């Protein structure tokens, strides 16, 4: 049997410096992820608001997790798991907001378009050098015309 030694000791006392480091790491991780702040029911949709003030309307009919929910049940929905899930304690329901968004084809198409646009603006060293070389030659080479 292979023996593996633990890398950290659980019985080591927590110092103020270690606690401050852990808090800073948690805050940095929290800023880098999306975070929902509120969820409310605006019939027939769930209104989800993000930390920057933007929001989405997600039609509940597209999500079988909400089948059998009454209007009163929607009032008891809360944001949980550090702003990444919608929770209902009475029904023991925890639904990933990212999962709900990814289930919507139009939202995923829009996200893909935004990401492609953003990535297309990025320039690598090779792209920059090719642009300079083409500029020295008078611009991008023209494609040869095909005559038939």
């Amino acid at each position: 049997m292979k023996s593996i030694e633990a890398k950290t000791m659980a019985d080591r006392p927590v110092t103020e410096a270690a606690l401050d480091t852990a808090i800073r790491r948690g805050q940095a991780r929290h800023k880098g992820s999306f975070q929902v702040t509120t969820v409310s029911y605006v019939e027939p949709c769930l209104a989800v608001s993000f930390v920057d003030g933007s929001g989405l309307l997600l039609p509940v009919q597209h999500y079988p997790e909400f089948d059998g929910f009454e209007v009163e049940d929607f009032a008891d929905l809360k944001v949980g798991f550090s702003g990444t899930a919608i929770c209902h304690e009475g029904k023991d329901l925890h639904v990933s907001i990212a999962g709900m968004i990814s289930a919507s084809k139009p939202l995923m198409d829009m996200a893909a378009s935004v990401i492609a646009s953003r990535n297309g603006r990025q320039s690598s060293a090779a792209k920059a050098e090719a642009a300079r070389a083409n500029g020295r030659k008078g611009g991008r080479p023209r494609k040869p015309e095909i005559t038939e």
Side-chain angles (χ1 to χ4, degrees), residues 57-70:
L57 291 175
L58 300 168
V60 295
Q61 74 230 21
H62 295 313
Y63 306 103
E65 295 86 354
F66 299 107
D67 289 349
F69 262 60
E70 301 295 328

Side-chain angles (χ1 to χ4, degrees), residues 65-70 73-74 77 87-94:
E65 295 86 354
F66 299 107
D67 289 349
F69 262 60
E70 301 295 328
D73 295 328
F74 287 112
L77 289 175
C87 304
H88 190 286
E89 293 302 320
K91 294 192 178 270
D92 195 29
L93 177 75
H94 308 284

